[in-house]
């Protein structure tokens, strides 16, 4: 059973000719619209809570939104709260930036791992420079063009929260609600159900639900990437699990429900 | 905090060389000394000490949170909140819902006429509240301007006094600093209120101009008005916050830095605790002691490699790839990814156990799970994509969307309220040191 799952998903993942219809749902459309209307003189803070465990879901989400920001010329700042995720996110954004001709420091920047996220978020609202001081290469923020003019929340255009945990409340409570800064929520699949509350209440402006959300975003951007391929693997693995559950139940009934 | 801020950070943070190692050693000694001193505090004083520290620290955030705005702006703030609410109601009223023609609210169907009327009424109310807020802000601005002029006169008088009386030099210098700070604060307040006034008028004009077209029912016009209403509501929300910062807000960054340091200590304590436990395992050769050896090996190798990678500038060329490629990307990243990937396989067996049809409820849960699992992936969309018109609600993606946005949301909200109340009670218990558990049950 496990071998079948491994073989099927891996094979489909590397099958490039397979195309399935992708239906763009309202939450993804709203996320796209939010980025589409962001001012170009404010930064987008991309918050990274993920590590290698959820890299397959969260990285394509981050990549899709960052790609869109780069396409529009909106500056991006990577803000990692995970030691390992810090490097993973930086490396990927660096690749995307190179592909799109974006320059570190001018079009985007990144911080190193930062602990105590709640205190940092509280601090950045009134004193961004004082709270972070230096980027991941120890360069003072005052020497980085994209960050030197960020004084407080007023220079933040949007927050992109890529996370495998229930961390979005932090941004909603301290940034989204008090200052009306739009938040785009990019949770892993298991965290999606609770995201709809925030979406309905207007506390987040859009959501990329799991890997499939990233695939839908890639579809709107007309830039199919890893998430689009992985959506096929997701389809097949869901079908396989359903099939196994049906077979299991048939066996359960045949054995007299023991 | 002032003492810390006036010393350049570079003095404390050498980036390389012998000073760095001196600093690391000094910090380690200092941390150990600090922890030793803490452990030497008699048990009967330790708990009250922790309680007092927790209680006092909690006050900072409580007070900062409880003072939402300077007192003079409270009335204006209230008007602005009402105006913002009405603008959002207006925007919502002319937003097309299910059953409306594509992209617009039609007065002839789906209660469109009432909704457009409600939007017009809400805009009128918002205009009224914005006018009241503008008058109120203009009033307090005049008052603060008078205060500012008075403070400037006081400052001038102190300057004269400072020059005339030699004996008063030291005292008057301090007083003058205080008055100077006061004049600066008042000047900023007057400027902030002036800006707020300008923005309120600007937003009000935009809303009134756009709302003149509310009777126009074309999709484009409605979209344009919705955009203006939304932007104005956001603008007013920003204006509210710009006049609402209280005197404690500016101390949040230093408080944040202190807490980061405490967090660093907690990591140190965690490592110390792990080393103690695993050290005992090795010393007593307990079953599985080789896992403890692996822990020590991993801890030391990663720590040393990270330090060398960061600070050994003249390192041989193999050092950097050793850390970055072998240990970090090759080992740590892969191990973490492997741990989480196992979940996929556990889910397969867990799904079967959870979805065994033992009762009507479990059958219902299984059916819902099937619809959500299929409706969310492209293959589900393909399976029922042919259904259109009056049958489109039967499409798997539509049913999945309904499950997620209606029953799921209701259940999630119920849980969120419960968790919220529980969290509040827990926060109060921790703040007041009433919480019992392994930490407080034991005599430290």
């Amino acid at each position: 059973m496990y071998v079948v799952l491994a073989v099927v998903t891996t094979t489909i993942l590397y099958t490039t000719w397979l195309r399935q219809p992708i239906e763009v749902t309202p939450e993804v459309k709203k996320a796209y619209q939010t980025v589409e209307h962001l001012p170009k003189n404010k930064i987008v803070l991309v918050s990274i809570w993920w590590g290698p465990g959820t890299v397959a879901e969260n990285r394509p989400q981050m990549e899709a939104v960052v790609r869109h920001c780069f396409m529009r010329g909106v500056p991006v700042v990577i803000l990692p709260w995970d030691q390992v995720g810090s490097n993973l996110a930086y490396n990927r954004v660096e690749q995307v930036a190179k592909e799109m001709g974006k320059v570190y420091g001018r079009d985007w920047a990144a911080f190193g791992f930062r602990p105590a996220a709640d205190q940092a978020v509280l601090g950045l609202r009134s004193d961004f420079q004082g709270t972070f001081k230096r980027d991941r290469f120890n360069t003072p923020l005052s020497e980085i063009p994209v960050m030197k003019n960020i004084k407080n929340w007023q220079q933040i255009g949007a927050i992109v929260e890529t996370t495998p945990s229930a961390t979005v409340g932090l941004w909603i409570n301290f940034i989204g609600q008090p200052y009306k800064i739009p938040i785009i929520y990019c949770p892993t699949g298991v965290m999606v159900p609770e995201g709809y509350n925030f979406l309905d209440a207007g506390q987040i402006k859009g959501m990329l639900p799991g890997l499939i959300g990233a695939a839908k975003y890639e579809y709107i951007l007309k830039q199919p990437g890893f998430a689009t391929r992985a959506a096929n693997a997701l389809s097949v693995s869901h079908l396989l699990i359903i099939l196994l559950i049906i077979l299991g139940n048939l066996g359960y009934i045949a054995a007299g429900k023991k | 905090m002032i003492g810390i801020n006036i010393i350049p950070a570079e003095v404390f943070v050498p980036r390389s060389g012998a000073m760095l190692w001196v600093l690391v050693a000094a910090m380690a000694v200092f941390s150990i000394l600090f922890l030793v001193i803490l452990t030497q505090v008699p048990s009967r004083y330790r708990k009250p000490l922790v309680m007092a520290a927790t209680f006092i620290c909690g006050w900072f955030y409580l007070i900062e949170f409880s003072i939402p705005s300077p007192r003079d702006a409270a009335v204006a703030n209230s008007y602005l909140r009402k105006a913002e609410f009405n603008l959002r109601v207006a925007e919502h009223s002319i937003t097309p819902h299910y059953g409306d023609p594509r992209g617009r609210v039609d007065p002839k169907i789906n209660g469109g006429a009432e909704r457009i009327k409600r939007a017009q009424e809400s805009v009128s109310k918002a205009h009224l509240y914005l006018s009241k807020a503008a008058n109120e802000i203009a009033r307090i601005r005049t008052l603060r301007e008078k205060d500012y002029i008075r403070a400037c006169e006081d400052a001038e008088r102190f300057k004269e006094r400072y020059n005339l009386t030699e004996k008063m030099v030291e005292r008057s210098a301090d007083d003058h600093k205080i008055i100077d700070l006061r004049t600066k604060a008042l000047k900023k307040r007057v400027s902030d209120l002036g800006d707020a006034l300008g923005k309120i008028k600007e937003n009000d004009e935009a809303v009134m101009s756009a709302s003149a077209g509310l009777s126009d029912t074309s999709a484009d016009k409605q979209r344009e008005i919705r955009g203006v209403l939304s932007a104005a509501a956001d603008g007013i929300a920003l204006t509210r916050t710009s006049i609402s910062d209280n005197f404690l807000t500016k101390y949040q960054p230093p408080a944040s830095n202190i807490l980061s340091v405490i967090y660093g200590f907690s990591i140190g304590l965690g490592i110390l605790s792990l080393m103690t436990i695993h050290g005992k395992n090795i010393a007593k050769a307990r079953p599985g002691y080789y896992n403890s050896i692996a822990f020590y090996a991993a801890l030391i190798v990663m720590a040393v490699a990270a330090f060398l990678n960061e600070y050994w500038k003249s390192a041989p060329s193999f050092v950097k790839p050793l850390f970055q490629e072998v240990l970090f990307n090759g080992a740590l990243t892969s191990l973490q990814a492997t741990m989480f990937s196992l979940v996929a396989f556990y889910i397969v067996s867990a799904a079967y156990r959870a979805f065994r049809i033992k009762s009507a409820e479990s059958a219902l849960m299984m059916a819902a799970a099937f619809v959500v699992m299929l409706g969310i992936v492209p293959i589900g969309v393909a399976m029922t994509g042919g259904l259109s018109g009056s049958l489109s609600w039967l499409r798997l993606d539509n049913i999945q969307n309904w499950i997620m946005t209606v029953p799921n949301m209701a259940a999630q909200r119920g849980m969120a309220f419960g968790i919220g109340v529980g969290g509040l009670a827990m926060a109060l218990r921790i703040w007041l040191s009433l919480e019992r558990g392994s930490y407080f049950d034991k005599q430290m």
Side-chain angles (χ1 to χ4, degrees):
Chain A
M1 185 168 70
Y2 295 142
V3 175
V4 173
L5 180 71
V7 170
V8 165
T9 47
T10 315
T11 313
I12 298 291
L13 198 58
Y14 291 98
T15 308
T16 49
W17 52 265
L18 191 63
R19 288 279 180 272
Q20 291 182 34
I22 289 180
E23 188 79 15
V24 180
T25 40
E27 63 271 14
V28 181
K29 220 177 278 177
K30 282 181 185 171
Y32 174 83
Q33 290 295 342
T34 305
V35 177
E36 197 60 25
H37 290 104
L38 287 178
K40 291 179 184 174
N41 58 348
K42 292 187 177 186
I43 58 158
V44 170
L45 263 185
V46 183
S47 161
I48 308 289
W49 287 93
W50 48 272
T54 59
V55 66
E57 282 198 272
N58 289 131
R59 190 164 59 183
Q61 294 170 327
M62 175 205 75
E63 187 184 331
V65 181
V66 166
R67 206 175 269 280
H68 189 191
C69 292
F70 282 164
M71 282 160 77
R72 286 207 56 239
V74 177
V76 171
V77 173
I78 307 294
L79 179 54
W81 312 109
D82 183 283
Q83 296 96 321
V84 189
S86 163
N87 268 16
L88 293 172
Y90 173 79
N91 291 342
R92 189 68 200 125
V93 177
E94 193 186 26
Q95 278 178 16
V96 175
K98 268 184 192 164
E99 277 172 33
M100 303 183 71
K102 299 293 171 182
V103 179
Y104 183 87
R106 190 193 67 192
D107 304 307
W108 71 288
F111 291 110
F113 162 65
R114 167 95 193 189
D118 42 358
Q119 305 312 322
V121 170
L122 278 172
L124 74 85
R125 306 190 303 176
S126 50
D127 184 3
F128 192 91
Q129 305 273 331
T131 304
F132 291 109
K133 295 187 178 76
R134 289 163 189 270
D135 76 343
R136 65 180 282 123
F137 305 109
N138 275 327
T139 314
L141 300 193
S142 55
E143 294 173 17
I144 303 171
V146 76
M147 291 212 270
K148 69 179 179 190
N149 293 324
I150 307 168
K151 304 292 178 211
N152 49 37
W153 60 270
Q154 286 173 312
Q155 288 82 42
I156 299 173
I159 306 290
V160 178
E161 174 76 336
T162 55
T163 176
S165 315
T167 50
V168 70
L170 180 66
W171 293 109
I172 292 173
N173 291 343
F174 298 127
I175 299 280
Q177 284 302 290
Y179 304 122
K180 304 295 168 198
I181 293 174
I183 296 169
I184 296 171
Y185 185 34
C186 305
T188 47
V190 289
M191 298 303 299
V192 169
E194 71 183 46
Y196 284 97
N197 285 327
F198 302 130
L199 195 68
D200 188 56
Q203 290 169 318
I204 55 175
K205 291 290 178 190
M207 178 163 72
L208 271 64
L211 181 63
I212 201 75
K216 289 171 182 176
Y217 209 96
E218 285 179 357
Y219 179 78
I220 310 180
L221 290 180
K222 297 186 178 66
Q223 301 259 337
F226 171 79
T228 309
R229 283 204 322 275
N232 297 331
L234 211 58
S235 284
V236 177
S237 60
H238 279 203
L239 270 183
L240 182 68
I241 290 176
I242 288 172
L243 184 72
L244 291 172
I245 291 171
I246 292 170
L247 286 177
N249 272 292
L250 288 176
Y252 176 62
I253 293 164
K257 294 200 173 188
K258 282 178 187 170
Chain B
M1 288 316 299
I2 292 165
I4 292 170
N5 283 339
I6 58 172
I7 300 168
E10 285 69 19
V11 174
F12 286 100
V13 194
R15 300 283 154 198
S16 59
M19 271 309 290
L20 171 75
W21 300 105
V22 171
L23 178 80
V24 171
M27 286 294 111
V29 170
F30 174 76
S31 306
I32 291 165
L33 268 178
F34 184 73
L35 292 173
V36 168
I37 291 168
L38 268 185
T39 55
Q40 293 307 308
V41 174
S43 291
R44 65 176 183 280
Y45 296 126
R46 216 176 293 161
K47 187 174 174 181
L49 192 69
V50 172
M51 286 169 66
T54 313
F55 187 68
I56 291 167
C57 292
W59 275 109
F60 172 79
Y61 286 104
L62 183 71
I63 295 172
E64 200 281 329
F65 176 74
S66 309
I67 310 173
S69 61
R71 273 178 300 172
D72 61 357
V75 176
N77 218 341
S78 158
Y79 287 137
L80 288 175
R81 192 177 292 120
K82 287 176 184 170
E84 185 196 340
F85 172 76
N86 276 292
L87 287 174
R88 297 208 189 275
V89 169
E91 184 200 347
H92 187 257
S93 300
I94 54 161
T95 301
H97 302 159
Y98 182 76
D100 284 332
R102 202 172 176 80
R104 70 190 183 101
V105 176
D106 192 326
K108 290 176 190 156
I109 55 170
N110 214 15
E114 288 78 22
R115 283 157 60 196
I116 290 172
K117 193 178 166 202
R118 187 161 65 237
Q120 283 166 333
E121 285 169 359
S122 297
V123 167
S124 303
K125 279 185 192 171
H127 172 62
L128 181 70
Y129 287 125
L130 285 176
S131 308
K132 285 184 177 180
N135 290 339
E136 180 62 19
I137 289 176
R139 187 183 72 80
I140 55 175
R141 185 169 177 257
T142 313
L143 290 175
R144 293 295 84 84
E145 260 176 342
K146 282 180 186 167
D147 288 346
Y148 172 63
I149 293 165
R150 211 175 299 135
C152 288
E153 287 168 359
D154 283 350
E156 282 304 313
R157 271 200 294 277
F158 267 92
K159 268 185 189 170
E160 286 170 16
R161 197 168 140 200
Y162 175 79
N163 289 330
L164 288 173
T165 320
E166 282 296 322
K167 285 178 188 174
M168 296 285 284
V169 167
E170 205 167 317
R171 173 71 198 279
S172 54
D174 285 346
D175 283 351
H176 184 257
K177 275 181 197 164
I178 292 164
I179 286 178
D180 195 37
L181 282 175
R182 200 171 147 230
T183 55
K184 276 184 182 168
L186 281 167
K187 191 178 175 186
K188 185 173 181 308
R189 186 78 185 138
V190 171
S191 159
D192 285 350
L193 290 168
D195 288 348
L197 199 57
K199 280 175 189 160
I200 289 169
K201 285 181 178 165
E202 194 182 303
N203 281 312
D204 193 18
E205 279 165 18
V207 167
M208 292 316 289
S209 153
S211 65
L214 264 171
S215 50
D216 187 335
T217 55
S218 70
D220 286 345
K221 189 68 188 172
Q222 285 186 355
R223 194 180 308 118
E224 184 194 321
I225 295 173
R226 279 200 300 276
V228 173
L229 293 175
S230 173
D234 288 350
I236 287 161
L238 291 179
T239 309
R240 277 207 303 122
T241 56
S242 74
I243 58 170
S244 297
D245 276 357
N246 62 53
F247 69 98
L248 279 177
T249 309
K250 64 182 173 191
Y251 295 109
Q252 278 182 352
S256 157
N257 290 341
I258 292 171
L259 285 162
S260 293
V261 172
I262 294 172
Y263 181 84
F265 266 95
S266 72
I267 291 177
L269 275 176
I271 293 173
L272 200 66
S273 170
L274 277 171
M275 286 172 74
T276 311
I277 291 167
H278 288 284
K280 281 180 185 168
N281 283 351
I282 296 168
K284 294 181 181 174
R286 286 175 181 154
Y289 71 93
Y290 41 83
N291 293 323
S292 300
I293 295 175
F295 160 77
Y296 266 99
L299 182 74
I300 293 166
V301 168
M302 284 303 270
V304 171
F307 266 99
L308 293 179
N309 179 59
E310 187 69 30
Y311 297 111
W312 193 9
K313 299 295 172 198
S314 56
S317 56
F318 68 88
V319 171
K320 262 198 189 309
L322 177 75
F323 175 72
Q324 190 66 38
E325 299 304 326
V326 180
L327 292 173
F328 202 83
N329 291 342
L332 181 65
T333 306
S334 307
L335 283 171
Q336 284 195 12
T338 308
M339 284 293 289
F340 209 82
S341 302
L342 291 175
V343 174
F345 297 96
Y346 283 119
I347 281 176
V348 176
S349 61
Y352 165 65
R353 286 179 223 289
F355 297 137
R356 260 188 299 193
I357 308 176
K358 288 178 177 173
S359 60
E361 290 86 356
S362 60
L364 185 67
M365 192 169 88
M366 191 181 79
F370 280 7
V371 171
V372 172
M373 282 171 75
L374 281 175
I376 207 162
V377 290
I379 206 156
V381 177
M383 282 160 75
T384 53
L387 296 171
S388 59
S390 59
L391 289 176
S392 64
W393 66 273
L394 281 171
R395 285 171 57 158
L396 278 172
D397 47 327
N398 284 344
I399 301 176
Q400 178 266 337
N401 192 45
W402 178 82
I403 290 173
M404 295 302 272
T405 53
V406 182
N408 161 65
M409 205 144 70
Q412 291 283 347
R413 278 193 177 139
M415 285 193 285
F417 279 121
I419 292 167
V421 173
L424 187 65
M426 177 62 87
L428 271 176
R429 286 181 68 81
I430 290 173
W431 182 37
L432 301 173
S433 294
L434 297 172
E435 182 58 19
R436 299 190 70 76
S438 60
Y439 190 56
F440 281 121
D441 278 347
K442 287 180 185 170
Q443 194 59 259
M444 289 184 291

